[in-house]
Amino acid sequence: MVEVASSVVYDVLGQRAQDVDKPIIDYIINVLADEDFDWGAEGEGAFEALGELLIDSGCVTDYSECRSVCRRLSEKFGNHGLVKQKQAVRSLATPLRMFDGMDEEEAPKKKPQELDGPVLSERDRLKLERRKRKEERQREAQYQMHLAEMEAVKAGMPVVCVNHDSGAGGPAVKDIHMENFNVSVGGRDLIIDGSVTLSFGRHYGLVGRNGTGKTTFLRHMALHAIDGIPKNCQILHVEQEVVGDDTSALQCVLNSDVERTQLLEEEARLLALQREMEFEGATGKSNKNINGGTNKDNVSQRLEEIYKRLEFIDAYSAESRAASILAHFPLHSFIY
């Protein structure tokens, strides 16, 4: 069925299917080749499932052409017998006569169905019901265990924080090579003997249906739970669901640099303290010691240390770098 679906997709899309990345075309083919795929009327199901992907990948130019392509795909799949006919649904507003097509004579009574094998006794019936309830409880317990494991994985996520000393003293490896790794959740294997290579400077997208393990895979990467991720590589994972507030996206990225934020706050506090000391000196008050032993020399020395550290972590260009991240990495994770 996949072979037929592949020939139909390449036939309808033509040269544009050759120009698009092969993993995207393979994903489109696998979705359409699914036996349970609902095409809907005139390919409406294909438009809802793949319309955005067809436009974003360049297979079509706009929504109008996308609907036309989905309609042609539906027709060609139907010609190959790959589109299941849905049962007609009768409108509830249409009157229905229950006796239409029946003779006036009394319909013959249905003969009792003969059962093969012995009839269950009351005791056996109760036993089957107890077994059924036990299986339902086991399934519910397994489901709750799966939810608990997912929450545990989520709780184990590291705090989104930039570490400027990560990998200090070691080689600055920029490429990521993960080989022969496995990812499982709740006893269910999601990825077996996986191999992924991410080259520095390239942009990657992770495509797949819901529940196939995309988020779990990214969480494992953020936790450095997969061999092959360099120690100097920092991965900041962004959750799908967050509590909305007035914080801008740019500020959220800047807030991940906790050290920079703390240094800037301490700088502002010490500068205010320094101005207070200078004012007291100008008015003739003693500024030798203030706030429990803090003097002007100590403040100046600490400010000098803060300025050196801010320069070392390149804090003053952080806003432009954060804007670049938002412009080029609209994905689940940011990789440095």
Side-chain angles (χ1 to χ4, degrees), residues 34-60:
D34 191 343
E35 295 181 357
D36 297 327
F37 183 73
D38 184 8
W39 285 89
E42 298 184 351
E44 190 66 24
F47 178 78
E48 293 178 358
L50 299 172
E52 294 289 344
L53 180 59
L54 289 172
I55 295 174
D56 295 341
S57 61
C59 293
V60 296

Side-chain angles (χ1 to χ4, degrees), residues 177 284 318:
H177 301 282

Side-chain angles (χ1 to χ4, degrees), residues 20 81 101 124 136 250 280 335:
V20 177
D124 292 337
E136 290 177 352
L250 179 63
E280 291 181 353
I335 302 178

Side-chain angles (χ1 to χ4, degrees), residues 183-237:
V183 175
S184 61
V185 173
R188 182 166 65 95
D189 292 329
L190 299 177
I191 301 176
I192 301 177
D193 295 334
S195 295
V196 176
T197 297
L198 303 177
S199 300
F200 177 76
R202 297 289 299 274
H203 297 174
Y204 296 90
L206 190 58
V207 181
R209 287 188 173 184
N210 293 337
T212 54
K214 301 186 298 297
T215 302
T216 304
F217 170 60
L218 293 177
R219 283 175 176 162
H220 277 67
M221 287 186 61
L223 287 168
H224 284 240
I226 303 176
D227 294 336
I229 302 178
K231 293 183 179 180
N232 62 285
C233 177
Q234 300 184 62
I235 303 176
L236 307 185
H237 188 277

Side-chain angles (χ1 to χ4, degrees), residues 8-43:
V8 171
V9 170
Y10 278 97
D11 181 32
V12 173
L13 296 180
Q15 181 60 36
R16 285 177 292 188
Q18 304 290 340
D19 299 335
V20 177
D21 291 342
K22 192 173 184 303
I24 297 179
I25 295 297
D26 291 342
Y27 175 75
I28 295 174
I29 293 172
N30 290 329
V31 170
L32 298 179
D34 191 343
E35 295 181 357
D36 297 327
F37 183 73
D38 184 8
W39 285 89
E42 298 184 351

Side-chain angles (χ1 to χ4, degrees), residues 84-100:
K84 293 183 178 179
Q85 297 296 331
K86 300 295 180 180
Q87 295 182 354
V89 179
R90 184 162 185 167
S91 174
L92 296 178
T94 305
L96 177 65
R97 294 183 177 89
M98 300 300 295
F99 53 83
D100 282 351

Side-chain angles (χ1 to χ4, degrees), residues 208-312:
R209 287 188 173 184
N210 293 337
T212 54
K214 301 186 298 297
T215 302
T216 304
F217 170 60
L218 293 177
R219 283 175 176 162
H220 277 67
M221 287 186 61
L223 287 168
H224 284 240
I226 303 176
D227 294 336
I229 302 178
K231 293 183 179 180
N232 62 285
C233 177
Q234 300 184 62
I235 303 176
L236 307 185
H237 188 277
V238 181
E239 289 294 338
Q240 298 182 36
E241 301 294 337
V242 295
V243 179
D245 54 24
D246 296 332
T247 307
S248 65
L250 179 63
Q251 189 59 44
C252 287
V253 177
L254 291 174
N255 291 343
S256 67
D257 194 339
V258 178
E259 182 181 4
R260 172 182 175 274
T261 302
Q262 292 176 346
L263 289 174
L264 291 177
E265 290 176 352
E266 186 179 0
E267 177 197 14
R269 181 177 60 82
L270 292 178
L271 287 175
L273 181 60
Q274 194 177 56
R275 287 193 296 269
E276 181 182 350
M277 290 180 176
E278 292 176 353
F279 175 77
E280 291 181 353
T283 56
K285 297 181 181 180
S286 175
N287 64 345
K288 192 172 184 179
N289 290 290
I290 191 171
N291 292 340
T294 303
N295 55 42
K296 190 174 182 179
D297 294 337
N298 291 338
V299 172
S300 300
Q301 182 179 358
R302 178 54 185 162
L303 281 173
E304 184 178 356
E305 295 174 354
I306 291 175
Y307 292 141
K308 288 182 179 179
R309 185 61 181 174
L310 288 173
E311 183 179 0
F312 175 78

